[in-house]
Amino acid sequence: KDIIPARYILTFLIFCGMCLIFGQRVCLNVAMVAMVNSSAEVEVMSMDSDTDESRCPVPESSMNVTLKSKQGSYLWTPSIQGVIIGSYFYGYVVAQIVGGRLADIFGAKRLFGCATFLSSVITCLTPYVSSLTPIWMIVLRVLLGFVHGMNYPSAYTLFARWAPLQERSTLLSLCVIGTHFGVVLSMPLTGYLCENELFGGWPSAFYALGIIGFVWFGFFTFFVYDSPADHPRISTREMNYIHRNIPFISNSKKSPPVPWCQVASSLPIWAVTIAKFCGAWSFICFQSKLPAYLDEVLHLPIHKNGLVNSLLFGALCFSIVASGKLSDYIRAKQYFRTTTIRKCFETFALLGPAACMTAIPLVKCNANAVIILLTSAMALFGLCGGGDVSVIVDMAPDFAGKIFGVSNAIASIPGILSPIVAGYFLEGNKGNVEQWTMIFYISVALYVIGAITFLIFGSAEVQSWGVISPDKTEEQQQKERTISTISTTVTVILSKDDFNMGNSSVVLSRFKRTDSEVSYVSFML
């Protein structure tokens, strides 16, 4: 028998797996600063810095370090860089639609483990493929996005069978926080390896993350099983506890047809999808282009660049957890309707960052002020942990998985578009503050659109078409009232579907109905 409960071992290994895949995803964002040869642009910029008010002057203290760090060998323009980074989401969008079904066919453990293993292989191949033409890097990133898109549906299917209701919110929160924690660890590590030329410079960052993935795969294969019944070392006490607290889970692989006509005509579904889309635009844009902004505009050395990125995503992690717990507390005390709680949190999550980004162009080249505003924007955006994280589960618990996949596929489109749009504005204008101002204001506009749409049309009520057996709902509600304080808020950042859980007892009971319909989240970010 395992000394540590099997469900906690599973949670820890999924947490580590999420750290890995997102670390492997964003590694390129920082490494690209060292990979691309922009030394000529730096020389021109430094000569014109005294007269060109559209560019920030290079501080004398960082001049030598900045120039040294820009001697890359790749002649990729901002547009090409945007296409390479954005191509990841071509595969990711497709995976959101098919991932849930593949988890049913191949098994959640097998899909999660193999996807992370393949991701590690692709990460190790990145330095070699990057030496070829850019089209091969684009193909590689598409493949990486596709395998990463398998992790969320498979992880949520595993938790559907392993996570008792009393622990589901906490265990799922840890799973999702792993994605941001991976960013927090990966970006400073990549910056350090790039600047110090340790083990060959920037390629070593990809090799290190790939090797760690191979080691993780061995532990995951040995310790994780698809269900408690399959686990050879689980204690009888834990087995009984899990089964008592997941009373409605079904082993059936059959799932009813989704009423797509009603889904397509549902204003609340479109409201949460638009809110996800608008929030994802800015988040993904700055996750991919922030290292370039800190390097080309504020002229931070690459190791400080990685640390600032880590600071921002660390603030995001803290805010997600805190907002999820706070919203759960308010809901448990029944101070407000769940819909009201979700709308309040989501409003701050979208309008707060909009205010911060409006202020960034006003401080221009004040690096400390910009970093404070960016950190505040990320922390405020994390309030979505108490906002729209699992709204689709609330509205359509019997069809949440498939609807979630389509909604997240739409919300992943900014991953393709935002780096390309940013590259368009920066083409021939790298380091130009005015061009970056346009990028900031586009994000502000989308934040405002998302917040207004969600406030007007968002809902957490169970839709009439969202349940299969309405006559069974009351029975399930009665059982769920005994644990009405249980949190079902899954604190996920970019998969923003926890908006308005109006009838949480219905949502909880129906959420457990079948693991093939488990809601999963695509964190883009």
Side-chain angles (χ1 to χ4, degrees):
K1 304 294 182 182
D2 289 332
I3 298 176
I4 303 173
R7 65 188 184 279
Y8 295 155
I9 295 175
L10 175 140
T11 301
F12 174 74
L13 287 171
I14 290 181
F15 171 87
C16 293
M18 291 297 186
C19 283
L20 275 169
I21 64 170
F22 273 77
Q24 293 167 352
R25 166 182 161 181
V26 303
C27 177
L28 180 65
N29 299 351
V30 176
M32 193 172 282
V33 175
M35 295 166 66
V36 174
N37 186 348
S38 54
S39 57
E41 292 179 79
V42 174
E43 293 172 2
V44 172
M45 179 190 66
S46 62
M47 289 188 296
D48 295 341
S49 61
D50 292 333
T51 58
D52 190 351
E53 295 182 357
S54 66
R55 299 182 185 276
C56 295
V58 181
E60 293 182 4
S61 60
S62 61
M63 176 69 77
N64 293 334
V65 176
T66 304
L67 290 174
K68 180 180 178 181
S69 67
K70 293 194 174 184
Q71 303 304 316
S73 59
Y74 296 93
L75 302 176
W76 294 342
T77 65
S79 293
I80 292 177
Q81 294 175 47
V83 171
I84 291 174
I85 292 174
S87 61
Y88 171 95
F89 289 92
Y90 286 101
Y92 197 79
V93 167
V94 174
Q96 293 307 297
I97 299 174
V98 303
R101 182 56 183 159
L102 291 178
D104 290 339
I105 296 174
F106 296 107
K109 171 191 172 179
R110 188 175 300 165
L111 186 63
F112 190 96
C114 291
T116 308
F117 180 85
L118 289 174
S119 171
S120 301
V121 173
I122 292 172
T123 301
C124 288
L125 291 175
T126 300
Y128 169 74
V129 175
S130 66
S131 65
L132 307 177
T133 58
I135 187 63
W136 290 108
M137 271 297 290
I138 293 171
V139 171
L140 192 75
R141 294 290 289 182
V142 171
L143 292 175
L144 185 68
F146 185 80
V147 297
H148 282 182
M150 301 297 165
N151 285 74
Y152 268 118
S154 52
Y156 273 63
T157 300
L158 285 170
F159 278 119
R161 297 188 176 195
W162 278 95
L165 283 175
Q166 293 88 337
E167 302 175 3
R168 179 167 289 169
S169 176
T170 301
L171 298 185
L172 286 170
S173 298
L174 290 173
C175 161
V176 176
I177 289 299
T179 62
H180 306 300
F181 196 70
V183 177
V184 170
L185 293 179
S186 173
M187 284 191 160
L189 173 64
T190 304
Y192 175 80
L193 294 175
C194 290
E195 184 172 63
N196 290 276
E197 296 294 323
L198 187 63
F199 304 117
W202 63 264
S204 62
F206 293 94
Y207 297 142
L209 291 170
I211 292 171
I212 293 172
F214 298 143
V215 175
W216 170 91
F217 179 75
F219 284 99
F220 184 83
T221 302
F222 181 76
F223 285 107
V224 172
Y225 292 84
D226 277 308
S227 69
D230 296 331
H231 202 298
R233 297 179 300 277
I234 189 173
S235 67
T236 303
R237 180 179 179 181
E238 183 181 10
M239 174 81 78
N240 293 335
Y241 174 73
I242 292 173
H243 283 308
R244 280 198 311 270
N245 291 283
I246 311 182
F248 301 111
I249 195 71
S250 171
N251 291 322
S252 175
K253 297 295 182 181
K254 296 181 180 180
S255 57
V258 180
W260 289 114
C261 291
Q262 290 92 329
V263 173
S265 60
S266 172
L267 287 178
I269 291 290
W270 281 108
V272 70
T273 302
I274 291 171
K276 285 162 58 67
F277 181 98
C278 294
W281 181 284
S282 179
F283 181 84
I284 296 172
C285 180
F286 286 98
Q287 188 184 68
S288 60
K289 302 302 290 186
L290 182 60
Y293 175 77
L294 298 176
D295 174 61
E296 297 162 5
V297 177
L298 301 183
H299 312 299
L300 294 186
I302 194 167
H303 72 281
K304 291 183 180 179
N305 192 321
L307 289 174
V308 171
N309 278 273
S310 178
L311 171 66
L312 267 59
F313 287 95
L316 180 66
C317 291
F318 175 80
S319 179
I320 291 173
V321 174
S323 64
K325 294 295 183 183
L326 179 59
S327 66
D328 289 345
Y329 174 80
I330 297 172
R331 185 176 57 201
K333 294 295 183 179
Q334 299 183 347
Y335 292 144
F336 303 101
R337 293 178 60 248
T338 304
T339 295
T340 303
I341 295 171
R342 300 308 180 203
K343 287 189 175 183
C344 288
F345 273 89
E346 188 65 14
T347 298
F348 284 108
L350 294 177
L351 296 186
C356 293
M357 290 188 180
T358 301
I360 288 176
L362 303 179
V363 300
K364 290 190 176 180
C365 301
N366 187 331
N368 291 332
V370 171
I371 291 171
I372 290 173
L373 287 170
L374 287 171
T375 304
S376 300
M378 281 293 191
L380 288 167
F381 186 58
L383 294 177
C384 67
D388 63 27
V389 174
S390 59
V391 178
I392 292 179
V393 180
D394 304 331
M395 293 187 291
D398 277 322
F399 308 103
K402 294 182 176 66
I403 298 175
F404 218 122
V406 174
S407 176
N408 277 329
I410 296 172
S412 299
I413 293 174
I416 300 170
L417 300 180
S418 61
I420 296 176
V421 171
Y424 170 80
F425 281 104
L426 298 175
E427 188 74 25
N429 295 289
K430 295 177 68 174
N432 190 304
V433 175
E434 295 176 357
Q435 296 302 311
W436 277 100
T437 298
M438 295 298 297
I439 296 172
F440 283 119
Y441 285 163
I442 290 173
S443 297
V444 169
L446 288 170
Y447 273 136
V448 172
I449 291 172
I452 293 175
T453 302
F454 207 77
L455 275 172
I456 296 174
F457 300 109
S459 173
E461 299 298 326
V462 177
Q463 304 298 298
S464 59
W465 47 264
V467 290
I468 302 171
S469 306
D471 57 315
K472 194 175 181 179
T473 300
E474 284 301 319
E475 176 187 353
Q476 295 181 352
Q477 282 183 318
Q478 185 61 38
K479 293 181 180 180
E480 292 298 350
R481 287 191 186 102
T482 61
I483 51 171
S484 61
T485 61
I486 301 304
S487 165
T488 57
T489 302
V490 180
T491 49
V492 183
I493 169 93
L494 200 67
S495 79
K496 311 164 88 176
D497 288 0
D498 181 20
F499 194 98
N500 309 339
M501 276 170 70
N503 191 337
S504 61
S505 58
V506 175
V507 174
L508 281 167
S509 60
R510 303 302 298 180
F511 179 71
K512 304 191 303 302
R513 184 177 180 277
T514 167
D515 50 317
S516 67
E517 292 296 337
V518 170
S519 168
Y520 57 86
V521 186
S522 58
F523 174 73
M524 281 118 359
L525 305 349

